[in-house]
Amino acid sequence: MTDTSVQEEHGLEPGQDNVRFLGLDVHNPVFFVSAVLIVTFVILSLIFRETAGEVMGGLRVWLTSTFDWVFMIAANLFVIFCLVVAVSPYGKVRLGGKDAVAEYSYAGWFAMLFAAGMGIGLMFFGVLEPMYHFNNPPLGVAPPLVDGELVEGAVAQAREMGMAATIFHWGLHPWAIYALLALSLALASYNKGLPLSVRSAFYPIFGERIRGWIGHVIDIMAVFATLFGLATSLGFGASQALAGLNELYGVPNTDTMKVLLILGITAIALVSVVAGLEAGVKRLSEINMVLAILLLLFVIILGPTMAIITGFFSNTWYYVKDLPALSNWIGREDTAFMHGWTTFYWAWWISWSPFVGMFIARVSKGRTVREFITCVLIIPTLVSILWMTTFGGTALNQFLAEGYTGVQQTVVDYVPELSLFAMLADLPLAGLTSLIGIILVIIFFVTSSDSGSLVIDTITAGGKIDAPVAQRVFWAIFEGLVAIVLLLGGGLAALQAGSIATGFPFAILLVLMLYATWKALATEER
């Protein structure tokens, strides 16, 4: 139930430290510090493109090789914490108090959280990653290809490891990161009456000091993590959509076209931003969910149907079986996999967590903690397994059973943005399904930009969820600009470096948030 005594004690209100000018309503100093630093980053990156690319690339290598253990330990802790909370008595706590009622149906709720949490990534990596890890299996598994020829005795184990490693990156760990931050924010906002801002999650530890510079630093870090995490996704999405347009319609696949595409889709996102949460994000998320389900069913029905059905269960088992080894960071010799894939993913998900976590918190009022964790952790993991089994499993089957080398070649040449379209090219109606794939990427792009600008605006408006639309427009524009400067400064590698650089300090904050959330649940249960 809602703890009104805590609400009365803290005396913190959304937007209480805001300043109002030129029709804006922004938090001082979070908005100004964040805006100035980000504008400065964009300008300097455009002026010193080559230097920016080199710096970002070097930063990525240093962080992933030096602090891999931080990311690995943190992500494991998040999974354990969520599972423990779900089965504990705290699972009965209802977000918003015992009489709170859910604001969205299960279908609408799930569509929004899934579109926000995974959309572009599943489209980009769903085909690529299983084939890549099949070719280069981690944990010392023998490669299945020697001089381009299949080694019969190594194929089965490499296929198992390829699917297990892929699901590892898209299963419990990322969704636990989202669930932790979303749960913490929902408790703070709906049960304790605190502003919907990342700093509020730390009230059980810092008390009213979150109103000062401790809170300012936390929110500024959340803004940077969100912006760079989103920029990474927007860059991946733009690269994939343009690659598809090039394959289908011969649109030139150049940096100039990528910039124009990002600008065009950002413009569409601005329309959605102005439309608002209900008319914009929710409607687009539901459209995307329908299209994604149709594409999924198409591949299941016209692809290797029985292999996909049986693969769902076998791949789930492979994931569970190999999870301890993949989660371990001690004595690993497959550092290329751990640093190049796992550490990047954990940093990416962590940098996305303020955005996805706050967005999930906003649409999850009325759910019990147990219901919340089940729907935000377990069900999305199962959907990710089905998606990877369908798309990645089909690509592997095309290569191993049919001898089709289209997807395999995109991995060898490392043109990841083409992997999805290469897989669809071997199925009927390739032109239509590829077009649907492009539309999916674009709408995921729009919903991510829209949701992200909504969240960043909430943080920089002191927790106000009804701040002027012009502020969301400002952040939507700068999400697109950051994606552009990172792409121009160093391509996909620079995008990944941006995520890791902002994800690292935020990982430390999330570990501290574990303790704060447990304290908040303990107070609520009493």
Side-chain angles (χ1 to χ4, degrees):
M1 59 187 293
T2 303
D3 191 339
T4 54
S5 64
V6 173
Q7 285 183 325
E8 292 166 2
E9 285 174 13
H10 62 62
L12 299 173
E13 297 292 335
Q16 68 187 113
D17 294 319
N18 284 12
V19 294
R20 295 163 183 82
F21 69 101
L22 300 177
L24 303 180
D25 185 355
V26 296
H27 187 277
N28 180 34
V30 173
F31 176 87
F32 299 104
V33 174
S34 301
V36 168
L37 289 176
I38 288 165
V39 170
T40 302
F41 171 82
V42 168
I43 292 172
L44 291 178
S45 296
L46 287 174
I47 295 174
F48 305 105
R49 279 178 55 182
E50 290 187 11
T51 304
E54 291 172 4
V55 169
M56 295 301 284
L59 186 61
R60 176 191 174 182
V61 172
W62 180 70
L63 283 172
T64 54
S65 59
T66 308
F67 297 106
D68 51 358
W69 59 277
V70 173
F71 290 108
M72 299 292 283
I73 292 174
N76 292 340
L77 286 174
F78 303 148
V79 174
I80 295 168
F81 176 85
C82 288
L83 295 176
V84 169
V85 167
V87 299
S88 75
Y90 297 151
K92 296 180 293 184
V93 172
R94 187 172 295 275
L95 303 177
K98 66 178 182 179
D99 298 322
V101 178
E103 297 176 341
Y104 300 97
S105 66
Y106 274 110
W109 182 45
F110 187 76
M112 284 191 287
L113 72 89
F114 202 82
M118 289 283 174
I120 291 175
L122 286 176
M123 296 296 294
F124 194 90
F125 291 102
V127 174
L128 163 77
E129 200 172 342
M131 183 67 79
Y132 185 93
H133 297 322
F134 168 78
N135 284 1
N136 309 278
L139 299 178
V141 173
L145 290 156
V146 175
D147 297 329
E149 298 294 325
L150 284 170
V151 180
E152 188 172 340
V155 168
Q157 194 175 6
R159 184 172 188 165
E160 170 190 326
M161 185 52 64
M163 292 306 305
T166 301
I167 295 167
F168 171 60
H169 293 144
W170 297 86
L172 293 173
H173 285 77
W175 288 101
I177 294 167
Y178 298 157
L180 167 65
L181 200 137
L183 175 61
S184 189
L185 290 179
L187 285 168
S189 180
Y190 299 135
N191 295 63
K192 307 300 182 187
L194 288 157
L196 186 61
S197 194
V198 177
R199 70 174 74 198
S200 296
F202 295 90
Y203 183 84
I205 299 175
F206 298 118
E208 290 192 29
R209 283 177 292 172
I210 63 169
R211 190 176 175 183
W213 273 102
I214 290 176
H216 301 337
V217 171
I218 289 170
D219 279 351
I220 291 168
M221 287 172 64
V223 169
F224 270 80
T226 302
L227 200 72
F228 280 86
L230 276 168
T232 301
S233 297
L234 301 186
F236 281 136
S239 298
Q240 187 175 31
L242 188 58
L245 291 170
N246 176 261
E247 285 287 297
L248 287 178
Y249 307 113
V251 176
N253 195 348
T254 62
D255 283 346
T256 301
M257 288 306 302
K258 287 178 184 176
V259 170
L260 291 175
L261 185 62
I262 292 175
L263 291 175
I265 297 176
T266 300
I268 299 171
L270 291 177
V271 176
S272 180
V273 162
V274 174
L277 180 65
E278 191 72 28
V281 178
K282 182 173 180 287
R283 189 170 297 165
L284 285 172
S285 297
E286 289 173 344
I287 292 170
N288 237 19
M289 192 56 62
V290 171
L291 287 176
I293 290 171
L294 289 175
L295 186 61
L296 183 75
L297 291 175
F298 174 86
V299 177
I300 291 174
I301 293 169
L302 295 182
T305 307
M306 287 309 300
I308 292 170
I309 294 171
T310 57
F312 174 79
F313 297 101
S314 59
N315 292 337
T316 303
W317 166 241
Y318 298 152
Y319 168 54
V320 172
K321 179 171 69 72
D322 294 321
L323 184 59
L326 289 166
S327 302
N328 174 49
W329 66 95
I330 300 170
R332 293 279 291 267
E333 295 183 0
D334 54 341
T335 52
F337 170 82
M338 190 169 73
H339 295 161
W341 289 89
T342 305
T343 308
F344 158 66
Y345 269 128
W346 291 179
W348 191 17
W349 303 142
I350 287 168
S351 67
W352 260 55
S353 63
F355 150 51
V356 182
M358 187 174 292
F359 186 76
I360 292 174
R362 281 197 63 174
V363 299
S364 298
K365 186 177 182 179
R367 309 290 179 183
T368 67
V369 170
R370 186 168 294 121
E371 178 187 16
F372 174 87
I373 290 178
T374 300
C375 290
V376 177
L377 183 64
I378 306 301
I379 293 177
T381 295
L382 294 175
V383 173
S384 295
I385 293 172
L386 177 61
W387 186 278
M388 294 302 181
T389 297
T390 301
F391 286 81
T394 296
L396 287 169
N397 190 80
Q398 289 172 340
F399 179 58
L400 296 174
E402 303 172 17
Y404 173 68
T405 60
V407 177
Q408 170 72 359
Q409 198 59 47
T410 68
V411 173
V412 172
D413 297 339
Y414 203 70
V415 281
E417 58 271 18
L418 288 175
S419 296
L420 171 66
F421 305 111
M423 185 275 287
L424 293 174
D426 192 48
L427 299 176
L429 303 175
L432 176 61
T433 55
S434 293
L435 179 60
I436 291 173
I438 294 170
I439 293 171
L440 270 168
V441 170
I442 290 173
I443 300 180
F444 276 133
F445 195 145
V446 171
T447 54
S448 294
S449 179
D450 188 348
S451 307
S453 59
L454 186 70
V455 166
I456 294 175
D457 181 43
T458 301
I459 297 171
T460 56
K464 293 189 72 169
I465 60 175
D466 57 350
V469 173
Q471 295 168 208
R472 294 204 297 276
V473 170
F474 172 84
W475 290 115
I477 290 171
F478 269 86
E479 286 161 21
L481 289 177
V482 170
I484 288 170
V485 299
L486 287 174
L487 266 178
L488 294 178
L492 297 181
L495 291 165
Q496 293 174 335
S499 280
I500 293 169
T502 54
F504 173 68
F506 208 77
I508 309 301
L509 277 183
L510 286 183
V511 172
L512 188 60
M513 192 181 288
L514 290 173
Y515 176 59
T517 307
W518 188 264
K519 285 191 69 174
L521 285 167
T523 303
E524 194 67 19
E525 178 65 12
R526 287 199 300 271

